[in-house]
Amino acid sequence: MGSKEEKFLKKLLVTFKEEAVEHLKVISTGLLDLEKKPEPEARDNIIEMIFREVHSLKGAARSVNQNDIETLCSALETVFDSLKRRRILLTPGMLELLYQSSNFFTVLLQTVDTPPGGAEAAVNREKISSLKHTLELLVNPAEAGESETVQLEKESFPEMFDPAQPPVKESQTFLTPEKEKLQAEEKIKISTKKLDSLLLQAEELLITKLAMSERVNELQTMINSVNQWKREREKISGLLRQYEKKINRIDENNGKKNNGSEKLFEFVKWNDSFVRTFERSLTPVIKSAKRDHHSFSSMADNLLEDMKKVLMLPLSFITEIFPKMVRELSHEQNKEVKLIISGEDIEIDRRILEEIRNPLIHLLRNCIDHGIEKQQERLNKKKPAEGTVKVEIAQKDSSKVEIKISDDGAGIDYEKVKTSALKLGIISAEEKNKINAEQILPLIFQSGVTTSSIITDLSGRGLGLAIVREKVEKLGGTITVETKAGAGTIFRFVLPLTLATFHGIFVRLGGQLFVIPTSFVEQVTRVKKEEVKSVENKDTIQLHGKVVSLVNLKDALGIPRSDEKEINLNGILHAVIVADADKQIAFTADEIICEQEILVKTFGRQLSRVKNISGTTILGNGKVVPILNVFDLMKSSVNITARAFLTETVKTEAAKKHSVLVVEDSITARALLKNILETAGYEVSTAVDGVDAFTQLRTGSFDVVVSDVDMPRMNGFDFTAKIRTEKKFTDLPVVLVTALESREDRERGIDVGANAYIVKSGFDQRNLLEVIKQLI
């Protein structure tokens, strides 16, 4: 087969797999609907729909020579044809066999690219032969041999079969609501990678929009300067006229002109004319710039909004697999569970859907495994034998969606949670006896905490809820839990509808800007010094009748307070009130600047987790500004004791700044490290790799080097080794900050002469600052 034909066949197989997945979704949904014992008319519609889906799948399989799939489809087609013609009755055992056949299609789809002669293919064909034979016996049980027994229940669902009702006509066509919607609109398939690329470019326009706004502001500043000049010029215009007349009289009396004075007045007149001309030229430029900025902003916003809509998908995109999953899990655990889903038509960013799929699945598994009791246990508690799990989705406002997963099971056992937390050392024995219900529930999100007595493939490891919370928080959402013994548990989390762009509050700490996401900000306020009270060695303020902790943002971020400016001359503190669920903390900053829309830039895989920082944004002037992680900030604030808000601070003479050389090939990581160190009071120079850094070392003077390892031209290991070969750099401290975390890499770092080795995956800026402080 030629290369063109092979490429075409591969492309065709990809298309077939996509089509087959869609057919199987409809088939699985149909089987689940049949199990609910629908009315006869609805049942016939479902059977007809499944029959047509199986028939279409068979045709698609034949076109790409997938004989195994075609064979199984033919057998299923015969069964559904017999069902719709009333030749056989639908029984629970038959439905179970149809489920098995539908599930096996998924196995076959995974092997469409593998050679047909392999061992796996032989096993699959044997399974197909067995399924085909059993399905044929459903249609013609008389053909079963004496030694053959069809393992099916004999009872049928009475509500699902009415012999007096006429069979479905061949000409009838039944469509699912999804397919009706698809037929109503023209659709094309396009790669999500292409869409993601378009969205990324549309989002990047926000940076250009901000840059244009910056240029307009700069132009406005220029015209303001001209107006200021005009005002100052007007103040001395009378004095200049008087001086000119006085000089002219002196010249007349002397009978000659003073050339110096004449030139001075000529320059003043020329300068007046120049400024007026400059103003006339600048005014239309500003008007045009404002008009262009407004036009571009409108187009960029509309394009970004439309691109977001393109990537918005209904939550049914992930919830459609839940009924089948719940059915299989409940059968495995010998429990009866009814799943109710509402609000799945609400649309949300596809990237968010992909991230929350696994957390939602985990919570559903928890509901079935931990929550819903066995049938007899439920009956003993005077509950229905069938447990209920609900997935309720509702849009909170124009930018957020709330997902609530609940069950009517046993609820969370507080004692088991406390016992597990005690074993892990999260709480002490004394705390176990004092802790209340409100303090217990957050413990279930701690890694390792579990209420299961055994470890199974479903649960018991205590990692699931910790991962769920981390995922939700990473998306900028919140998660809470409510429980009642014997009545069940509710997990509720709120997520943004879209990613990438949002509004943030800009605050200044020293010379560094930071962004706090507006979605977590309840209000911005000013606090008088005398309003700050110390409660249990913590600074607090009264806010709407509640006591709220007051924390200096510098303390939470581990930034030294070298020059105290929190309290201005009037004794006023600038505070931002942030909230997570029912917790509030007031963070103080040197200055609260403004709120504006920002574009989020993530760190990538190498810096996937940076304490207190969730990402960065780029201003119109090109400056990189860190975006604060509110959840981390609130955790970092727990152990901060009262500081000098209650007393006047005494400024000390600024210590001599130490110089740091940062060596990092990643632009984002380099900017982040530079910002962290400069905010901490260091003078920072940067280099892009080992070669560039060594050149700077020879020409400059540095107190410490902070270097990445994996870099082009000369990596961090080679760079450190080269430093140690130079006699004048023998005592120069070197800190390696890298994504390489194996024991061998750590040992190599020490062997080549590094003084410290910090892994990026667990990066904590406090740790870096403490290490540098010790080394210097």
Side-chain angles (χ1 to χ4, degrees):
M1 185 184 296
S3 59
K4 287 186 178 180
E5 293 179 350
E6 287 179 356
K7 288 181 181 178
F8 176 72
L9 181 58
K10 285 182 180 179
K11 190 175 180 180
L12 205 59
L13 283 174
V14 170
T15 304
F16 165 71
K17 289 170 76 173
E18 292 174 353
E19 181 185 353
V21 167
E22 295 301 317
H23 288 310
L24 291 177
K25 284 180 182 177
V26 178
I27 292 170
S28 294
T29 302
L31 292 175
L32 287 165
D33 291 339
L34 284 178
E35 196 171 32
K36 296 175 183 175
K37 307 178 184 180
E39 293 297 322
E41 184 178 356
R43 177 210 61 200
D44 289 340
N45 290 352
I46 295 168
I47 290 173
E48 173 69 14
M49 179 187 68
I50 298 175
F51 173 78
R52 291 180 179 276
E53 293 294 331
V54 172
H55 181 76
S56 298
L57 180 58
K58 183 181 76 171
R62 184 187 298 122
S63 66
V64 290
N65 300 321
Q66 293 299 314
N67 298 327
D68 292 342
I69 295 177
E70 182 185 356
T71 299
L72 188 54
C73 282
S74 295
L76 280 173
E77 194 177 28
T78 303
V79 173
F80 282 104
D81 183 61
S82 298
L83 282 171
K84 73 175 189 171
R85 294 177 186 276
R86 308 283 193 276
R87 293 174 182 167
I88 57 175
L89 302 179
L90 182 63
T91 67
M94 180 190 299
L95 201 56
E96 189 62 38
L97 181 62
L98 295 175
Y99 269 122
Q100 292 177 21
S101 302
S102 174
N103 290 340
F104 194 63
F105 278 121
T106 305
V107 177
L108 294 176
L109 282 178
Q110 294 173 354
T111 62
V112 295
D113 299 322
T114 58
E120 188 177 6
V123 173
N124 287 344
R125 278 194 291 273
E126 186 178 341
K127 176 68 174 177
I128 291 170
S129 178
S130 174
L131 284 172
K132 178 175 178 289
H133 181 64
T134 309
L135 290 169
E136 288 172 347
L137 293 179
L138 290 176
V139 179
N140 300 301
E143 294 182 4
E146 293 183 5
S147 60
E148 292 177 316
T149 304
V150 181
Q151 300 296 326
L152 303 170
E153 295 116 328
K154 295 181 180 179
E155 71 273 16
S156 63
F157 295 149
E159 303 89 345
M160 297 178 63
F161 180 70
D162 182 2
Q165 191 180 23
V168 180
K169 295 180 181 179
E170 290 290 337
S171 59
Q172 284 182 272
T173 302
F174 301 100
L175 297 173
T176 62
E178 291 80 4
K179 289 208 166 188
E180 288 178 350
K181 188 176 180 181
L182 284 173
Q183 286 195 354
E185 303 177 14
E186 290 188 8
K187 303 282 183 179
I188 62 169
K189 286 188 176 181
I190 185 169
S191 167
T192 55
K193 287 184 178 180
K194 292 181 180 179
L195 290 176
D196 288 341
S197 175
L198 287 173
L199 178 62
L200 180 62
Q201 293 178 62
E203 289 171 345
E204 292 292 339
L205 290 178
L206 179 59
I207 297 176
T208 306
K209 170 185 161 184
L210 294 174
M212 290 184 70
S213 177
E214 191 78 17
R215 301 296 88 77
V216 169
N217 291 336
E218 289 169 357
L219 287 171
Q220 188 61 52
T221 299
M222 292 172 66
I223 199 69
N224 291 341
S225 298
V226 171
N227 292 331
Q228 177 66 24
W229 179 92
K230 288 167 65 179
R231 286 191 293 270
E232 296 299 324
R233 174 66 176 81
E234 186 63 30
K235 290 179 183 178
I236 63 169
S237 58
L239 183 63
L240 282 173
R241 284 194 295 271
Q242 293 176 11
Y243 184 67
E244 186 177 10
K245 289 178 181 178
K246 186 175 181 180
I247 293 298
N248 288 336
R249 283 196 300 269
I250 293 172
D251 288 345
E252 289 175 1
N253 293 333
N254 294 334
K256 62 177 181 179
K257 289 186 177 182
N258 187 322
N259 291 332
S261 300
E262 187 176 3
K263 288 182 179 180
L264 176 62
F265 287 117
E266 285 178 359
F267 174 78
V268 170
K269 292 176 182 178
W270 175 86
N271 188 58
D272 291 346
S273 175
F274 174 82
V275 172
R276 285 194 295 271
T277 303
F278 179 73
E279 183 183 19
R280 284 195 297 271
S281 302
L282 188 59
T283 301
V285 171
I286 293 176
K287 289 181 179 178
S288 297
K290 287 181 177 179
R291 186 172 57 251
D292 293 345
H293 175 243
H294 177 76
S295 177
F296 179 83
S297 296
S298 178
M299 287 189 293
D301 291 343
N302 291 337
L303 176 60
L304 182 56
E305 192 62 32
D306 287 344
M307 279 306 305
K308 286 179 181 177
K309 289 177 182 177
V310 169
L311 287 178
M312 298 281 274
L313 292 173
L315 275 141
S316 58
F317 180 74
I318 58 174
T319 61
E320 63 187 1
I321 66 170
F322 291 172
K324 181 172 179 287
M325 183 192 76
V326 169
R327 179 189 182 276
E328 292 173 351
L329 288 176
S330 58
H331 280 209
E332 287 175 12
Q333 303 228 343
N334 196 25
K335 297 178 180 180
E336 286 189 24
V337 181
K338 175 174 66 177
L339 176 66
I340 300 174
I341 303 176
S342 61
E344 67 268 33
D345 56 336
I346 292 175
E347 293 189 337
I348 193 170
D349 194 311
R350 177 182 63 81
R351 296 166 295 182
I352 295 178
L353 284 180
E354 291 173 350
E355 290 294 326
I356 65 167
R357 181 198 302 268
N358 289 336
L360 288 177
I361 289 174
H362 179 82
L363 290 177
L364 283 175
R365 292 162 73 103
N366 262 14
C367 289
I368 297 169
D369 191 35
H370 293 298
I372 303 296
E373 309 95 332
K374 300 283 186 182
Q375 296 176 37
Q376 190 57 50
E377 185 181 349
R378 290 182 65 85
L379 292 173
N380 293 341
K381 294 179 179 179
K382 302 192 182 315
K383 288 184 175 183
E386 184 181 55
T388 301
V389 175
K390 294 182 180 179
V391 179
E392 300 168 275
I393 305 154
Q395 191 162 336
K396 288 200 70 174
D397 52 43
S398 60
S399 62
K400 293 179 183 177
V401 64
E402 180 184 73
I403 302 176
K404 186 167 69 174
I405 296 181
S406 61
D407 66 69
D408 64 347
I412 295 173
D413 190 322
Y414 287 152
E415 284 302 318
K416 288 184 177 179
V417 174
K418 289 195 290 185
T419 301
S420 180
L422 178 62
K423 285 182 180 178
L424 293 169
I426 297 173
I427 59 174
S428 65
E430 183 181 355
E431 289 172 327
K432 181 187 175 186
N433 297 326
K434 293 181 179 180
I435 195 169
N436 58 37
E438 187 179 341
Q439 295 169 314
I440 292 171
L441 281 180
L443 294 176
I444 67 174
F445 295 106
Q446 295 286 334
S447 181
V449 174
T450 178
T451 59
S452 179
S453 56
I454 60 171
I455 296 176
T456 67
D457 58 343
L458 275 184
S459 61
R461 294 171 176 82
L463 297 173
L465 288 177
I467 295 172
V468 168
R469 181 169 189 169
E470 184 178 328
K471 283 272 189 183
V472 172
E473 291 181 354
K474 188 176 179 181
L475 292 169
T478 60
I479 182 168
T480 57
V481 60
E482 305 165 26
T483 190
K484 186 176 180 181
T489 302
I490 301 173
F491 286 94
R492 189 193 314 267
F493 48 94
V494 178
L495 293 165
L497 286 173
T498 60
L499 287 178
T501 59
F502 64 84
H503 284 78
I505 305 289
F506 281 76
V507 300
R508 183 181 59 78
L509 302 178
Q512 175 62 45
L513 295 178
F514 292 90
V515 178
I516 302 175
T518 304
S519 57
F520 294 100
V521 177
E522 287 200 343
Q523 70 178 81
V524 174
T525 187
R526 292 180 178 182
V527 181
K528 293 180 180 178
K529 182 181 65 172
E530 56 267 23
E531 294 175 354
V532 180
K533 308 296 180 184
S534 181
V535 178
E536 296 180 354
N537 202 30
K538 291 184 182 293
D539 291 324
T540 64
I541 58 172
Q542 283 280 340
L543 188 68
H544 307 308
K546 292 176 62 179
V547 177
V548 177
S549 294
L550 183 69
V551 177
N552 191 303
L553 197 50
K554 289 182 179 178
D555 295 340
L557 294 172
I559 299 173
R561 294 208 235 170
S562 57
D563 185 13
E564 294 286 1
K565 293 182 181 178
E566 292 88 358
I567 302 176
N568 64 20
L569 296 176
N570 297 319
I572 299 295
L573 290 164
H574 302 282
V576 180
I577 315 300
V578 302
D580 170 23
D582 58 345
K583 297 179 182 178
Q584 290 178 312
I585 294 182
F587 288 101
T588 64
D590 295 345
E591 183 183 3
I592 298 170
I593 299 173
C594 67
E595 178 190 13
Q596 72 176 47
E597 187 179 18
I598 60 174
L599 175 64
V600 181
K601 292 286 188 180
T602 57
F603 295 125
R605 289 179 299 175
Q606 286 190 327
L607 282 173
S608 59
R609 184 77 172 91
V610 179
K611 188 176 181 181
N612 296 322
I613 307 293
S614 61
T616 61
T617 189
I618 301 176
L619 300 184
N621 58 11
K623 186 174 183 179
V624 177
V625 179
I627 300 170
L628 298 178
N629 184 320
V630 173
F631 303 106
D632 281 358
L633 283 178
M634 298 188 85
K635 293 173 186 174
S636 299
S637 305
V638 172
N639 298 318
I640 294 177
T641 56
R643 294 296 297 264
F645 287 125
L646 304 179
T647 58
E648 295 292 339
T649 57
V650 181
K651 294 185 181 181
T652 58
E653 185 179 352
K656 177 183 177 295
K657 285 190 175 183
H658 292 286
S659 179
V660 182
L661 177 61
V662 172
V663 191
E664 171 65 71
D665 62 322
S666 166
I667 297 174
T668 303
R670 190 164 65 241
L672 176 68
L673 290 170
K674 187 173 187 290
N675 284 334
I676 290 171
L677 293 169
E678 285 183 339
T679 304
Y682 294 101
E683 289 184 354
V684 182
S685 299
T686 59
V688 297
D689 57 30
V691 175
D692 182 20
F694 199 76
T695 302
Q696 292 194 44
L697 277 179
R698 286 181 172 277
T699 57
S701 176
F702 300 96
D703 298 300
V704 65
V705 173
V706 177
S707 175
D708 185 23
V709 171
D710 191 8
M711 299 181 293
R713 296 203 295 176
M714 183 188 292
N715 64 39
F717 292 139
D718 294 340
F719 172 53
T720 305
K722 191 172 181 62
I723 288 176
R724 295 302 178 227
T725 61
E726 295 283 332
K727 189 175 181 179
K728 66 176 182 176
F729 299 140
T730 303
D731 298 324
L732 177 65
V734 177
V735 180
L736 294 180
V737 181
T738 175
L740 303 177
E741 53 185 329
S742 68
R743 182 176 58 83
E744 292 79 6
D745 289 321
R746 292 171 188 264
E747 290 178 352
R748 186 181 174 191
I750 302 302
D751 290 342
V752 295
N755 300 87
Y757 193 99
I758 298 175
V759 179
K760 286 181 179 178
S761 60
F763 183 75
D764 182 343
Q765 65 183 41
R766 289 190 184 188
N767 184 28
L768 174 63
L769 294 174
E770 185 63 30
V771 167
I772 292 175
K773 184 178 179 181
Q774 290 176 357
L775 291 174
I776 293 179

